[in-house]
Structures are given as C-alpha cells and as structure tokens.
Amino acid sequence: SDGTVVWKAQTTDSTWLRNTAALLHHNGRIYGAGSYAVALDARSGRVLWARRAASAASPYDTYQRAAAAVDDRYLYVASREHRALALDASTGAAAWETDLMPQCQQLCVQMGIALAGDTVYVSGENWRYQIGGQRTITLAALDRRTGAI
C-alpha cells in the first residue's frame, strides 16, 4: 500500500462520527464505539448502522471514551455511563445492557473490555471528587450471552 486514500466516511450529521473513540476491524467491517456505536463496510466505507451507545441525556455526550470488543455475533461496548452493552454486529440492535456501577452517580470511565470463552470482562474507574478524590476500580465478569454479572 502506498498510503492512497481508499475511502472516507463522511456525514452531514457528524454526531456519531465525532463521538467514536474505539475502532475495531472484524469480518470485513469497521466498528466504532463511543457515545455512538457504528458499523461500516471496510471495503467501501458505507455506513451499515449507527446507534446511540450512551444515553441521549448524558452530560458527557460531546466526548465519550469507550472500550469495545467484537466477535462474530456482537459488538460489546463499555460506555462512560458505567454500562456494558452487547449490540448485534449485523444490525446494531441491543441484545443486553448491564449497569456495572449502579452506585456511580457521575462520570465513570470504562477502561477496558476483553472476551474469553463465555465471559466478557470489563474494568471501570469511579472518581469521587466530592469526597476527597477517592476512586474505586471495578473489574466485572459478565455472562457473554445474557450480560449478567
């Protein structure tokens, strides 16, 4: 390859593209995750689907860091709103969603996600500025089929 641009993904509504932090390639598709999750055809750049992965009411919508992993069936997203989601890799439809830190009332950064066997592992960090900067790190193991902790 000589660095020639093969395609560009552009949209007049740049919300999903602007808020896509993690990029993955799998089975001829490019997946992105942030406050939006998106799937594009890797050969043409055509958008196959795009959907919110974070709440529309999120005060952090302008910048969403997310962690993501993908397999043949799902795109797994760990959002800044302390949620893990399994989205159908073909359609973007939610298969399950789990709140990893229901006690977290503010920004909680999901730092990583990994797949192994029947398990989805997600790590997250909860900063509590109002009580002296205490932070809590959570590592959760979820059932890959149901999202149950």
Side-chain angles (χ1 to χ4, degrees):
S1 173
D2 61 5
T4 302
V5 175
V6 177
W7 56 260
K8 294 180 184 179
Q10 296 179 335
T11 177
T12 55
D13 175 15
S14 64
T15 306
W16 65 263
L17 194 56
R18 180 182 66 232
N19 289 316
T20 301
L23 290 175
L24 304 164
H25 179 272
H26 186 71
N27 284 347
R29 293 182 177 185
I30 301 294
Y31 295 95
S35 51
Y36 279 75
V38 61
L40 296 92
D41 180 276
R43 294 181 70 107
S44 69
R46 181 175 61 90
V47 177
L48 303 172
W49 56 261
R51 61 155 289 156
R52 276 195 170 278
S55 166
S58 172
Y60 312 107
D61 193 47
T62 56
Y63 174 70
Q64 280 280 0
R65 191 173 83 174
V70 66
D71 64 19
D72 291 339
R73 188 167 181 191
Y74 296 116
L75 172 65
Y76 301 89
V77 178
S79 80
R80 214 168 176 175
E81 295 180 312
H82 48 87
R83 298 187 180 283
L85 301 90
L87 305 175
D88 185 287
S90 297
T91 67
W96 53 258
E97 181 175 343
T98 301
D99 190 341
L100 300 169
M101 293 185 249
Q103 75 283 2
C104 183
Q105 299 300 310
Q106 70 278 344
L107 174 66
C108 298
V109 179
Q110 301 313 316
M111 300 183 301
I113 191 166
L115 308 174
D118 292 336
T119 307
V120 178
Y121 297 95
V122 183
S123 64
E125 181 176 26
N126 177 8
W127 280 92
R128 297 183 187 148
Y129 295 107
Q130 69 274 20
I131 56 173
Q134 177 185 0
R135 71 179 186 174
T136 304
I137 306 295
T138 299
L139 177 60
L142 302 124
D143 182 283
R144 199 164 172 167
R145 290 168 282 119
T146 66
I149 296 175

